[in-house]
Amino acid sequence: MENILKYQRIKGTLPTFEDSQIDKLIGLSVCCADIDSSCIVLGTVDGHVQLIPFMVSRQQFQHDNKRIYQPYPKQRVNNINVTSRSLSRLKASAGVANMHFTIICGFENGNVVILCVDSNDSSAASCKEIICNIGEPLRRTYLLNNFSFLTSCSFLAGTSSGRLLLHTVRYPSVQSSSSSTSSSSSWYSGSSGSASSHSPAPSSLSEGKTTMLFSGANSPVCQIACYYKGSSQAKSTAQWEDDSIVAWADLCTVRIMDIATQTAICYLNAPLGVGVAASIGDGPANVLCPCPCSLFWESESDLLIAWADNFRHVRVMGRELGAAAVTEDRVASEGGVTAATLVEWQVDCLLCGGVFPVDAQHVMSLGYSPAEAGGADLRGTLEMLILEKSSGEVVSSDVLPLHWLPVPSKEGLSGAGPWEYSLLSSFQCRNGSLKDAADWDLRSYSAVFGGDRGKAPLSFVVAPHDLLLARVRDVNDRVSTALQQNDLKAAVEFAKADVTALEHYRFPDLLKAYLLDLLETHCELLAARSTDLSEQQPGADLAVLAASECRRLVGLDPALWEFWITTFIEYQQITALAPLLPLENPRLASQNYNRVLLSLLQQDPESSAAVFLQCVKLWVRRTPAVFDRLAVLASLEQRHAQTDSISSAAYFELPSSWSLLEAQAQLYIAGSEYRKALNCYLSIKVPDSWLRQQSDVTSGEEASQASESLQYRHVFELIEKQGLFSTVSSKIINLVRLSKPLSRRLLVSHVDKLPVQAVASQLAVADKRLLLWYLDAMFCDALEVYSSADNAEWHAKQVELYAEFAPSTPNTSGEGSFCFDFKQRQLSRRYSSPLLRFLQSELPSQALLQQVALPACASHLPRPLFHEMVFVLARLGDPRKALQLHLAELGDLAGAIDFIEEPLLQEKALPQQQSLWEDLVDHCLQRPAQLAQLLDYMGLLSTLNPAKVLARMPANTGGIPQLRRRLLRILQHSQLREFQHAKCSVMLEDDALKLLRQKNQGLRRAIKVTSSLRCSLCSRPLTGENPASDSTEGVVILSSKLGYHRSCYARECNK
């Protein structure tokens, strides 16, 4: 796993480790520390207080000379706490806004010393001291936020008996306004001086107000943590916020209290094995907490607890949990506030020094592993740990190389323990830095190549004689690590992701090293392959990879693009970079594109011709022009001219020449020289072997579908759009070689401009197969034009070509297969072939075609085309010979039966058809296998009488398998046919009678006679004014609505 943190030893802040006076070093050993946004304070064993102001930039940690104060010589500083404020509002006359530090120290004698230090003045006068006494030894102090720099301050104090006190003290200058000393603002004034060890200005003990928050449990307080919600502005001691919560720990318990109401919230017992009697090794006698507890408020409700090998995440909540959920670590207070343990896990070492968030999901702490008992090395192992807050999984673990000095004890020298180390984090500062933990995400460190982008924590590891700075590695560190591992790609990726943060490297230099390494490696591989042809070295093309990386990483810098164009040309790998050159944003100078095209022409055509064509297609239509078209065209024409003089035929048959000719055509098209462009395309000489690989599509619809993916479609569109048929008319074979499907569509669609005679005569000279392909296309797609008598010569030629290039054996599946299906009652499938379809057409020259087709089919090798011969013989009036070919040569009984029942033969005389049946029966009687097949068909044939066939069968029928089953089937079919006939006759009679009755009823229906109806003979009205006379005379009305007087109708009938 890649290291997340980097470490830097801060020199000049602690006594030199190589000092020979060990007693002096032990006396200056650091025993406590704290951090604020711009300073670190250290407390030593002999009572020194060191203030180290610092400033952190992206790459440097700058600190001032340390300032040493010694309020009580030879008194151990048990705890130290610091906070800072800007004095720009307090000192308007100052040129810059200096900082004011307030430091609180707790001593063994019960005194609390508050030091007020001006950051711009290191003299003794600039440090003001306030002293108050608690009355018993102090173990922990915590300076609260609700204080004023001009009036008072408050702090929490934890004593050796376990008491927790809240003490408020007023500054002396406020208490004695008539003092001869200057006003309070004089605390921050004074002349500047060099850093030195001195005592602060003397001050008498200050009185204050003390409030006991907890009476103690006979266990010294070892840690205090407080969180205040709301503004951090100065306020009096009585102005508490509503949710001011404090947590403190002694040797056995962690307690949480609400200061606002002085109400206990919950308590948590120490992990198993931790308590008053527990110890680690032989520590100093004054170490009362060998396994200290670490507390940190991550938010106003989230408390992080690290104690021994145990971690807990405790959350303080309101009434929503209810009293029913209260346990040892979930206790409800009287005010309704509760606390619950959200996460708890253990590690395999001791967590010490402090616990702080790294981001919302991770925490960091120091991990201490004691030295083995009885070993020569007394030192334990100290690690910087980054862990998952939810599970305790270790994300990062670094062993810290700290300077170590043995500590004297009764038995001699012993090693330091976990109580000796402190971890400080910028997230614990009181200026709002904790919000950065929510803004920065550790998981994005690996995803974002830039690493630290300003939100990561800044940590310090404090040891008795060492001070380390721990920072998240930034882009410069990651680039350095990648270069050390010789991973140039990773270094470039890191630098590209955060170019603005690079300080030790230049991105162009890293990119140059990366791409040159790829090109040089590629050239070495090519050289190795050329010397050892037997050994194949598979792998990616590194030149292509270098070109793609160049396109991705170079960006918008034209100068860099020009450099890499020159570099790729020098390495002879411009074929990889040329298609990736930018045309916009940025657009390079035209001479760069010219250099690329001309260098491609100078390289091996087999590898560069296709790339040259690709570049020309991409660049030639850009406006304004990307390159000099005329210069490139002149160079290309000169190359073709030199090649023509050497070996023209061989050159234009190479695939590389096709790309160059097409590129030349594209250049001509860009200059509107269409005929020259078409001549370039027609100069491409595709070999016959490649031409035959193109599918011979026989229908116009299939040809249209196949042409969708052909690369020369634009050539045929150019011919149609510009009307270049005169140029094509004499070079049909070259056009067809470009694309047969597209040529088919062009020749069929423009027969008026490309006549059949002109096209067929050229193809006949070149290749008979191409001629047949063209004639078949005309027959399938342009029959109306092709059926003209002027093309009769080509009709006969087409029959000969069909017969010549027909397959040797007919297809045994699909259209050419024959089978009998009793369910479908289908005798056979009709055989089909291109020649047979052509002979079945209604061309005017059919008589000539049949005479030509018969000898052509008979002479076909290695086997005559019998199916086509059967059709021709039937057309020529010789069906008996055709049937003999079916039976003798093809052995196709089903086809013979189908042939006899053809409508063409049924139009002939019935005796001729009967004679064919007799020939078929005679043929089958001599062959038992075919006779058995005939018996299977016999029940379905209405034109063949089964009784006559059975009567002619020989007495010895042992050669017919399953004769009885076949005869029963014939009988069943005959009975079924007779039954169907009888039933159909009955149904016919019933239908006829029903229709007659309907007609009779219709005729008997009355017809209305109106006054407008007249006699068809005399033209008088059929009805008059005298109804009696009309009824006696009577009228005759027909179903056709014609009417007659009865007298007129009788006279007409008598005539």
Side-chain angles (χ1 to χ4, degrees):
M1 178 181 177
E2 182 186 2
N3 294 332
I4 298 178
L5 301 176
K6 66 175 181 178
Y7 302 93
Q8 174 186 352
R9 176 166 282 106
I10 303 177
K11 299 180 179 179
T13 58
L14 297 177
T16 307
F17 181 72
E18 290 80 6
D19 198 317
S20 59
Q21 299 179 4
I22 187 171
D23 295 336
K24 178 181 178 181
L25 290 178
I26 293 175
L28 294 178
S29 298
V30 177
C31 57
C32 56
D34 196 15
I35 186 175
D36 199 67
S37 58
S38 59
C39 73
I40 300 175
V41 290
L42 306 175
T44 64
V45 175
D46 62 350
H48 285 84
V49 176
Q50 301 182 23
L51 173 66
I52 308 174
F54 64 83
M55 180 180 64
V56 179
S57 64
R58 179 173 291 174
Q59 289 295 324
Q60 297 179 353
F61 176 85
Q62 301 175 355
H63 61 277
D64 296 340
N65 293 331
K66 60 186 178 181
R67 304 174 187 185
I68 302 177
Y69 308 93
Q70 193 173 15
Y72 290 97
K74 305 301 180 181
Q75 289 284 334
R76 177 186 177 93
V77 182
N78 286 340
N79 182 252
I80 197 166
N81 201 232
V82 64
T83 186
S84 63
R85 288 293 177 89
S86 173
L87 297 183
S88 58
R89 294 175 298 173
L90 303 177
K91 292 186 62 177
S93 60
V96 294
N98 60 324
M99 299 297 294
H100 177 82
F101 303 108
T102 302
I103 306 171
I104 183 170
C105 311
F107 292 88
E108 191 71 22
N109 58 5
N111 284 345
V112 177
V113 178
I114 301 175
L115 300 175
C116 301
V117 182
D118 188 352
S119 63
N120 289 341
D121 191 351
S122 60
S123 63
S126 66
C127 178
K128 194 67 177 178
E129 175 185 285
I130 303 174
I131 303 174
C132 59
N133 189 273
I134 301 301
E136 62 176 297
L138 287 176
R139 297 305 176 199
R140 280 293 181 270
T141 57
Y142 190 90
L143 186 64
L144 298 180
N145 274 352
N146 60 335
F147 66 92
S148 170
F149 283 103
L150 302 178
T151 58
S152 64
C153 69
S154 300
F155 61 88
L156 295 171
T159 67
S160 60
S161 63
R163 293 195 304 164
L164 182 67
L165 306 176
L166 172 62
H167 189 84
T168 304
V169 60
R170 299 186 64 85
Y171 293 154
S173 60
V174 178
Q175 295 176 357
S176 303
S177 58
S178 61
S179 176
S180 61
T181 60
S182 60
S183 63
S184 61
S185 61
S186 64
W187 294 359
Y188 319 117
S189 62
S191 59
S192 60
S194 60
S196 60
S197 175
H198 56 269
S199 299
S203 177
S204 61
L205 292 177
S206 299
E207 298 181 357
K209 178 182 178 181
T210 303
T211 303
M212 181 183 296
L213 301 178
F214 182 69
S215 59
N218 295 323
S219 177
V221 175
C222 60
Q223 188 62 265
I224 299 177
C226 187
Y227 185 89
Y228 277 84
K229 176 183 176 182
S231 173
S232 61
Q233 295 178 358
K235 53 181 73 70
S236 65
T237 57
Q239 294 175 334
W240 296 104
E241 296 292 335
D242 293 336
D243 294 329
S244 301
I245 299 176
V246 63
W248 75 97
D250 53 24
L251 297 183
C252 303
T253 310
V254 174
R255 293 178 172 85
I256 303 177
M257 172 183 287
D258 187 350
I259 296 180
T261 60
Q262 296 189 13
T263 304
I265 296 176
C266 76
Y267 71 93
L268 299 96
N269 291 330
L272 185 64
V274 178
V276 177
S279 63
I280 299 178
D282 295 325
N286 57 357
V287 177
L288 297 179
C289 186
C291 191
C293 174
S294 299
L295 303 176
F296 182 78
W297 286 98
E298 188 178 22
S299 67
E300 61 184 274
S301 59
D302 292 286
L303 176 64
L304 305 181
I305 304 174
W307 202 345
D309 61 347
N310 182 268
F311 172 86
R312 290 185 182 184
H313 177 194
V314 178
R315 175 164 294 176
V316 179
M317 294 169 284
R319 297 177 178 269
E320 49 269 31
L321 286 179
V326 175
T327 61
E328 173 199 1
D329 59 346
R330 181 180 291 175
V331 180
S333 66
E334 296 178 359
V337 181
T338 61
T341 299
L342 301 182
V343 176
E344 182 175 5
W345 40 261
Q346 292 181 330
V347 294
D348 57 356
C349 60
L350 299 178
L351 300 177
C352 62
V355 57
F356 304 103
V358 178
D359 60 3
Q361 293 82 28
H362 300 84
V363 294
M364 67 188 311
S365 182
L366 297 178
Y368 179 82
S369 299
E372 296 183 1
D377 191 358
L378 301 178
R379 294 176 296 176
T381 303
L382 188 68
E383 298 176 289
M384 174 71 80
L385 300 178
I386 298 179
L387 308 103
E388 290 276 356
K389 185 166 64 175
S390 60
S391 63
E393 180 182 355
V394 178
V395 176
S396 175
S397 175
D398 300 325
V399 177
L400 299 177
L402 293 172
H403 287 168
W404 175 77
L405 187 66
V407 179
S409 64
K410 296 179 180 179
E411 291 78 9
L413 296 177
S414 65
W419 58 86
E420 300 285 353
Y421 304 106
S422 299
L423 177 63
L424 307 177
S425 174
S426 59
F427 287 170
Q428 73 182 98
C429 299
R430 308 191 189 194
N431 60 351
S433 299
L434 188 58
K435 61 183 177 58
D436 292 342
D439 297 338
W440 190 71
D441 189 0
L442 180 64
R443 292 176 298 183
S444 65
Y445 175 80
S446 299
V448 180
F449 294 126
D452 177 18
R453 293 299 296 155
K455 296 290 185 180
L458 187 70
S459 304
F460 295 88
V461 180
V462 182
H465 299 90
D466 208 350
L467 180 60
L468 294 182
L469 169 66
R471 306 175 59 182
V472 174
R473 301 170 72 248
D474 62 4
V475 61
N476 295 277
D477 303 311
R478 306 187 79 178
V479 170
S480 299
T481 303
L483 293 178
Q484 293 173 2
Q485 298 173 354
N486 201 23
D487 191 351
L488 297 177
K489 181 178 181 180
V492 173
E493 296 288 357
F494 295 146
K496 178 66 175 178
D498 198 0
V499 177
T500 57
L502 285 176
E503 295 185 0
H504 304 328
Y505 307 95
R506 294 181 64 253
F507 177 72
D509 297 338
L510 295 173
L511 179 61
K512 180 179 179 181
Y514 172 48
L515 297 183
L516 288 180
D517 179 70
L518 290 177
L519 292 175
E520 292 173 357
T521 306
H522 179 75
C523 294
E524 293 175 359
L525 291 176
L526 290 180
R529 292 174 186 176
S530 61
T531 55
D532 189 2
L533 299 178
S534 61
E535 182 180 357
Q536 298 294 331
Q537 301 181 12
D541 192 342
L542 296 182
V544 175
L545 177 61
S548 62
E549 293 289 84
C550 184
R551 173 63 184 269
R552 183 174 66 91
L553 299 173
V554 169
L556 305 179
D557 191 349
L560 276 180
W561 277 111
E562 293 179 7
F563 170 78
W564 287 112
I565 289 175
T566 305
T567 303
F568 273 78
I569 292 176
E570 292 176 355
Y571 281 88
Q572 297 183 354
Q573 299 300 327
I574 193 61
T575 54
L577 182 64
L580 304 178
L581 291 179
L583 301 176
E584 297 291 342
N585 297 325
R587 170 172 285 202
L588 308 180
S590 60
Q591 57 266 25
N592 293 304
Y593 301 102
N594 290 342
R595 289 176 56 202
V596 171
L597 293 177
L598 295 179
S599 62
L600 288 174
L601 287 178
Q602 295 172 2
Q603 294 186 10
D604 185 10
E606 294 184 1
S607 60
S608 62
V611 179
F612 180 81
L613 173 60
Q614 181 182 0
C615 294
V616 169
K617 287 183 176 181
L618 290 175
W619 301 349
V620 72
R621 301 189 184 279
R622 306 287 296 189
T623 53
V626 174
F627 62 94
D628 189 352
R629 184 182 65 87
L630 296 179
V632 176
L633 189 58
S635 178
L636 193 56
E637 290 175 347
Q638 181 181 3
R639 180 186 180 90
H640 288 329
Q642 294 175 356
T643 307
D644 287 344
S645 61
I646 300 174
S647 177
S648 175
Y651 172 74
F652 286 103
E653 290 182 358
L654 296 175
S656 59
S657 68
W658 306 348
S659 299
L660 295 179
L661 286 171
E662 186 174 357
Q664 186 177 0
Q666 291 289 336
L667 295 174
Y668 280 131
I669 292 174
S672 301
E673 301 178 71
Y674 302 112
R675 294 191 181 276
K676 290 184 178 181
L678 183 57
N679 287 327
C680 291
Y681 282 115
L682 297 179
S683 299
I684 298 176
K685 296 183 179 180
V686 180
D688 296 338
S689 59
W690 184 84
L691 181 64
R692 294 191 186 98
Q693 294 176 2
Q694 299 188 45
S695 58
D696 293 331
V697 186
T698 57
S699 66
E701 182 179 358
E702 292 177 356
S704 177
Q705 295 176 358
S707 63
E708 294 296 331
S709 60
L710 298 180
Q711 58 177 337
Y712 292 110
R713 173 181 293 276
H714 58 282
V715 180
F716 295 87
E717 294 176 352
L718 177 65
I719 294 172
E720 293 180 326
K721 184 176 181 180
Q722 302 298 331
L724 304 176
F725 297 100
S726 59
T727 306
V728 178
S729 60
S730 60
K731 300 179 180 180
I732 297 298
I733 182 61
N734 294 5
L735 182 69
V736 174
R737 289 176 183 275
L738 290 178
S739 174
K740 289 176 68 176
L742 294 174
S743 299
R744 175 185 183 131
R745 188 175 62 182
L746 181 69
L747 296 175
V748 169
S749 303
H750 301 279
V751 182
D752 54 338
K753 301 179 181 63
L754 300 172
V756 176
Q757 182 67 30
V759 175
S761 59
Q762 295 184 49
L763 295 178
V765 176
D767 191 346
K768 290 183 179 181
R769 291 184 180 272
L770 288 180
L771 176 60
L772 175 60
W773 165 81
Y774 171 70
L775 296 178
D776 181 78
M778 295 300 299
F779 169 70
C780 296
D781 301 338
L783 181 60
E784 185 177 349
V785 178
Y786 184 61
S787 61
S788 174
D790 298 337
N791 299 322
E793 174 188 357
W794 299 110
H795 298 167
K797 185 66 175 177
Q798 187 173 356
V799 171
E800 295 177 357
L801 294 176
Y802 275 138
E804 180 179 356
F805 297 109
S808 301
T809 56
N811 186 14
T812 58
S813 63
E815 289 186 312
S817 64
F818 296 91
C819 61
F820 189 83
D821 190 351
F822 287 100
K823 294 182 180 180
Q824 299 295 333
R825 302 178 66 85
Q826 182 178 350
L827 288 177
S828 66
R829 297 181 184 176
R830 290 201 176 260
Y831 172 82
S832 179
S833 67
L835 176 56
L836 193 57
R837 289 197 303 268
F838 186 72
L839 295 175
Q840 292 172 350
S841 64
E842 299 297 333
L843 291 175
S845 56
Q846 277 296 337
L848 174 62
L849 297 181
Q850 293 171 7
Q851 296 178 3
V852 174
L854 189 59
C857 294
S859 60
H860 182 269
L861 296 177
R863 188 169 182 265
L865 303 177
F866 292 111
H867 288 93
E868 287 79 0
M869 292 175 64
V870 168
F871 178 80
V872 174
L873 289 173
R875 284 294 182 93
L876 293 177
D878 195 356
R880 184 180 294 271
K881 187 174 182 180
L883 181 61
Q884 292 177 358
L885 289 178
H886 254 302
L887 297 174
E889 301 297 339
L890 296 176
D892 184 10
L893 183 61
I897 296 173
D898 196 21
F899 171 73
I900 296 174
E901 291 193 340
E902 278 188 358
L904 178 62
L905 295 180
Q906 292 178 3
E907 295 175 0
K908 306 290 183 181
L910 185 60
Q912 185 179 6
Q913 189 179 19
Q914 292 297 330
S915 63
L916 293 177
W917 281 117
E918 292 177 0
D919 293 342
L920 176 63
V921 172
D922 293 341
H923 178 81
C924 293
L925 290 175
Q926 299 174 6
R927 296 167 178 81
Q930 292 188 356
L931 179 59
Q933 189 177 5
L934 180 61
L935 292 177
D936 290 336
Y937 297 157
M938 196 176 301
L940 301 175
L941 299 174
S942 59
T943 56
L944 183 61
N945 190 355
K948 294 182 179 181
V949 177
L950 295 177
R952 296 179 58 184
M953 287 178 59
N956 185 12
T957 57
I960 302 177
Q962 300 180 357
L963 177 60
R964 184 174 180 276
R965 183 180 60 82
R966 286 185 165 86
L967 294 177
L968 289 176
R969 184 183 298 167
I970 293 173
L971 181 59
Q972 291 173 359
H973 289 169
S974 300
Q975 292 176 353
L976 178 61
R977 188 165 54 252
E978 292 177 0
F979 176 76
Q980 290 175 347
H981 185 270
K983 290 297 182 180
C984 289
S985 298
V986 173
M987 293 173 62
L988 182 61
E989 292 177 0
D990 292 343
D991 291 343
L993 182 59
K994 183 179 180 180
L995 293 174
L996 286 175
R997 287 176 179 174
Q998 290 179 357
K999 185 176 182 181
N1000 181 264
Q1001 290 178 359
L1003 294 176
R1004 293 173 59 187
R1005 188 175 301 159
I1007 300 176
K1008 183 178 180 180
V1009 180
T1010 62
S1011 59
S1012 61
L1013 189 61
R1014 294 179 177 273
C1015 178
S1016 299
L1017 295 179
C1018 65
S1019 301
R1020 290 181 297 119
L1022 294 181
T1023 60
E1025 298 179 358
N1026 188 0
S1029 61
D1030 295 337
S1031 62
T1032 56
E1033 182 179 4
V1035 294
V1036 177
I1037 304 299
L1038 302 182
S1039 60
S1040 61
K1041 300 294 183 68
L1042 293 178
Y1044 302 93
H1045 293 105
R1046 186 180 296 275
S1047 58
C1048 296
Y1049 185 76
R1051 284 196 303 270
E1052 188 66 24
C1053 291
N1054 293 333
K1055 292 181 180 179

